[in-house]
Amino acid sequence: MDIFTLAEANLISPPILFFVLGLIAAFVRSDLSIPEAIAKALSLYLVMAIGFKGGAEMAAGDLNWSVGGAILAGIVLSALLPILGFGLLMLTTKVGRIDAAAIAAHYGSISIVTFIAASDAARFLETPGEGFMVAVAAAMEAPAIVTALILAGSAARASNGAEGHGESRLSVLKEIAANGSIVLLIGAFFIGWMTGPRGMMAVAPFFNDIFRGVLCLFLLDMGLVAGRGLLRNWRVLKPGVIGFGLYMPLIGALAGMGTGLAVGLDGGSLGLLMTLAASASYIAVPAALRLALPEARPAISLTLALGITFPFNLVAGIPLYFWLARLVTGTGG
């Protein structure tokens, strides 16, 4: 299966089309909206479903060194990608050090929604990954934030003072540990792992049968949010910053490919790791940096992650990453 076939299959899938519908509705300034409480419930369902299914799939397989190697690879990627992103931003744009560190944190951490969409696409493209990739996704949330705080360095200390900076860093660690998405993802993963295939069979109608329908509704809302964010904040996105939002995912994906090959991931799991490395957080990182780097402008980092990189990955990135993963692992059909 070549890249064009994969891209076509991804583009005509209902979740992607509903995301595009949301973008169009936002751009024509439609009054279409999904109540915030419903959108939150959809998000909780998707995170719980992907965590539980990943745990159940891992319980059905054999534990091996690939699990630990993949998790370690994810942590290394999350910690190092912000350094590369920060350097590129400082060289190619005029954003300040604090904003560059904040943007870099978004691109070192991961988008769990992009991961969920990629997991769904992997099954649709008949290239599913291993269940333990859920644990890899969870492990990649926090290291990038720590790296970003180091990169912000003296500027953050000068703004907050030494004592305030210490309190801020402690608050960030607490924020990361208690982040609702991470707590639910890890918790559901371990519940799925403990109950195994029998537990999956008991809740299959809830976690399998309606999953794609819920994903369609959620991505419709994401399209509305992304489109309206672009309309509201497009003035702060200079050409160099927009360019970063398009080429940094490709750099992250290539780094993920090299790291995944080094630890021996199969084609589906490699595609998922590449997607994780290419994604940009717009949930966990903004919440954490609100405490740690209050000087950073979320209008830049959040709009870039959600309005530029997220659509790029959904529409073009995911099929490209899985095509490359199949190509280099020899699993293409």
Side-chain angles (χ1 to χ4, degrees), residues 40 42-52 54 106 108-121 131-141 179-186 188-189 211 215 218-219 222 272 275-286 305-306 310 313-314 318:
K40 178 71 172 178
L42 296 175
S43 175
L44 291 174
Y45 165 82
L46 290 170
V47 171
M48 182 169 61
I50 201 71
F52 187 91
H106 287 69
S109 187
I110 60 101
S111 161
I112 192 63
V113 178
T114 306
F115 176 71
I116 290 171
S119 299
D120 181 68
F132 62 73
M133 291 305 298
V134 175
V136 176
M140 291 180 70
E141 283 274 15
N179 179 268
S181 295
I182 297 301
V183 171
L184 182 58
L185 182 69
I186 296 175
F189 176 82
F211 181 86
L215 182 60
F218 183 72
L219 286 181
M222 285 289 96
L272 288 176
T275 302
L276 286 170
S279 67
S281 172
Y282 54 84
I283 299 175
V285 171
L306 183 57
F310 183 61
N313 278 328
L314 280 190
I318 289 174

Side-chain angles (χ1 to χ4, degrees), residues 48-71:
M48 182 169 61
I50 201 71
F52 187 91
K53 288 195 289 187
E57 290 170 7
M58 185 168 168
D62 296 326
L63 285 176
N64 52 53
W65 289 106
S66 295
V67 179
I71 293 174

Side-chain angles (χ1 to χ4, degrees), residues 95-252:
V95 298
R97 184 182 181 89
I98 293 294
D99 282 324
I103 295 171
H106 287 69
Y107 283 80
S109 187
I110 60 101
S111 161
I112 192 63
V113 178
T114 306
F115 176 71
I116 290 171
S119 299
D120 181 68
R123 290 182 174 86
F124 187 73
L125 300 172
E126 299 181 351
T127 314
E130 297 284 354
F132 62 73
M133 291 305 298
V134 175
V136 176
M140 291 180 70
E141 283 274 15
I145 301 174
V146 176
T147 300
L149 294 180
I150 296 172
L151 290 171
S154 59
R157 283 192 293 272
S159 298
N160 298 334
E163 182 178 353
H165 185 69
E167 292 175 356
S168 176
R169 183 164 294 182
L170 180 61
S171 298
V172 169
L173 294 177
K174 291 179 180 178
E175 181 86 15
I176 295 169
N179 179 268
S181 295
I182 297 301
V183 171
L184 182 58
L185 182 69
I186 296 175
F189 176 82
F190 279 108
I191 292 172
W193 192 8
M194 288 187 292
T195 57
R198 181 177 297 181
M200 186 70 245
M201 188 179 300
V203 295
F206 182 67
F207 283 144
N208 284 335
D209 295 350
I210 67 172
F211 181 86
R212 286 179 66 83
V214 173
L215 182 60
C216 288
L217 190 57
F218 183 72
L219 286 181
L220 171 65
D221 182 58
M222 285 289 96
L224 290 167
V225 172
R228 287 167 182 162
L230 281 173
L231 289 175
R232 186 169 55 249
N233 298 312
W234 64 270
R235 291 180 181 85
V236 303
L237 297 182
K238 304 302 181 184
V241 176
I242 293 175
F244 178 85
L246 294 174
Y247 66 72
M248 189 62 197
L250 300 176
I251 293 174

Side-chain angles (χ1 to χ4, degrees), residues 261-313:
L261 287 173
V263 297
L265 294 182
D266 62 84
S269 300
L270 181 61
L272 288 176
L273 182 62
M274 291 172 68
T275 302
L276 286 170
S279 67
S281 172
Y282 54 84
I283 299 175
V285 171
L289 294 189
R290 184 180 65 244
L291 297 172
L293 296 176
E295 309 93 332
R297 292 175 290 173
I300 299 178
S301 54
L302 189 55
T303 305
L304 185 62
L306 183 57
I308 302 297
T309 300
F310 183 61
F312 171 77
N313 278 328

